[in-house]
Amino acid sequence: MFKSKKNLSGMLLVAVIFFTGISTSNAQKRKDVGLQLFSLRELLPKDVAGTLQKVSQAGYSQVELYGFSIKDQFWGLKPAELKKILDENGLKPVSGHFNMSPYFKSGDEAELKAAIEAAKILGLKYVTIPWLDADTRTSAEDYRTVAKRLNYAGQLCKNAGLKLTYHNHDFEFIKYGNETGMDILLKDTDKKLVDFEMDIYWVIRSGLQPYELFKANPGRYAMWHIKDMDKSDPKLNTEVGSGSIDYKDIFKHAKLSGMKYFFVEHENNYKPDMLGSITKSCAFIKDQILK
């Protein structure tokens, strides 16, 4: 029995916040802004140390990596060498996008195991699948096969103290009968082994709304990609806060999503340039969203 109406009202308010997800996530409380380093793909391979210094100066404290291969590692740097540069610039590597095409095509585990080893050295929390080649996603059955391989890879990651994550584009929302590829991946993957990284731009570009996906699968989207959509041409990116995506509203549902980390990503249409673009996006997020 409740002792007073005041206690009852307080508990109801807590319940409303929990079930709607309209509350502050840990990521927002930390006020860390992350950057997917693919945004600087023309600069980074030429000068890793100098570019990462500029990322830190732009206001970022976390990064998501890309570009690893068994042959070249990270632009010629071994994971331990890259980690040293990141540490020197106060940048925490949280996740990495790792090419797994051979694994999803044939089950070849070489790149998968190399990625896990690199992630452990770097101190990552997530190994993220960034892309599926077109010939591995032509049907519902293909997506069921992908889900099985995600579960297996997720178990390997778990054994290594990591979490596997899948990053979407738009093709996952193509329908096969009554369900999309993303529906199949969410349904057929083990929540304990596989998380998802929502690219919010691609969700909206597909004609969907992030909140509806959060509501359908609460807690599954542990990371987000934040890039804005040009108001005059949806095929183009723009700096966060300058486009048509209402990120202030989307961040209200961070807790419902399960979002722990988010990364700014910019792929085209930089204004005034790559570094100027990421600096402007970071400033908007800190001033308008994480304030």
Side-chain angles (χ1 to χ4, degrees), residues 37-206:
L37 292 176
F38 185 74
S39 305
L40 304 177
R41 60 197 174 280
E42 293 179 9
L43 305 176
L44 197 59
K46 299 174 185 177
D47 181 8
V48 176
T51 303
L52 290 177
Q53 182 181 45
K54 290 183 174 81
V55 169
S56 179
Q57 291 169 347
Y60 294 90
S61 54
Q62 297 176 340
V63 295
E64 183 173 52
L65 305 174
Y66 82 99
F68 175 81
S69 70
I70 292 176
K71 179 182 177 183
D72 297 323
Q73 302 289 289
F74 289 97
W75 318 290
L77 294 173
K78 294 179 181 178
E81 294 171 326
L82 176 58
K83 182 158 191 321
K84 183 174 184 294
I85 298 172
L86 289 165
D87 289 345
E88 288 170 350
N89 288 284
L91 296 171
K92 171 66 178 175
V94 175
S95 169
H97 279 200
F98 293 93
N99 175 29
M100 299 290 179
S101 292
Y103 174 64
F104 287 105
K105 283 179 180 289
S106 66
D108 183 347
E109 298 178 20
E111 289 285 354
L112 169 60
K113 291 180 177 178
I116 290 172
E117 188 57 34
K120 287 168 58 180
I121 294 169
L122 283 155
L124 303 186
K125 294 180 180 294
Y126 297 93
V127 170
T128 302
I129 308 299
W131 176 261
L132 293 176
D133 289 342
D135 59 355
T136 63
R137 49 176 169 87
T138 64
S139 65
E141 189 56 38
D142 279 351
Y143 275 99
R144 282 189 277 272
T145 298
V146 168
K148 289 177 184 177
R149 288 189 167 152
L150 287 173
N151 284 330
Y152 176 79
Q155 185 62 60
L156 293 185
C157 286
K158 183 179 180 181
N159 294 346
L162 301 161
K163 190 71 179 281
L164 187 78
T165 314
Y166 180 89
H167 167 273
N168 71 273
H169 288 81
D170 58 345
F171 56 76
E172 292 90 352
F173 301 105
I174 295 172
K175 279 199 169 185
Y176 302 93
N178 294 323
E179 56 187 354
T180 67
M182 183 62 84
D183 291 335
I184 296 168
L185 295 181
L186 285 159
K187 180 183 65 176
D188 288 5
T189 52
D190 187 335
K191 295 178 182 180
K192 296 178 181 178
L193 300 177
V194 181
D195 280 339
F196 288 81
E197 179 177 61
M198 180 183 285
D199 190 305
I200 291 174
Y201 167 87
W202 282 115
V203 167
I204 293 174
R205 176 91 177 265
S206 301

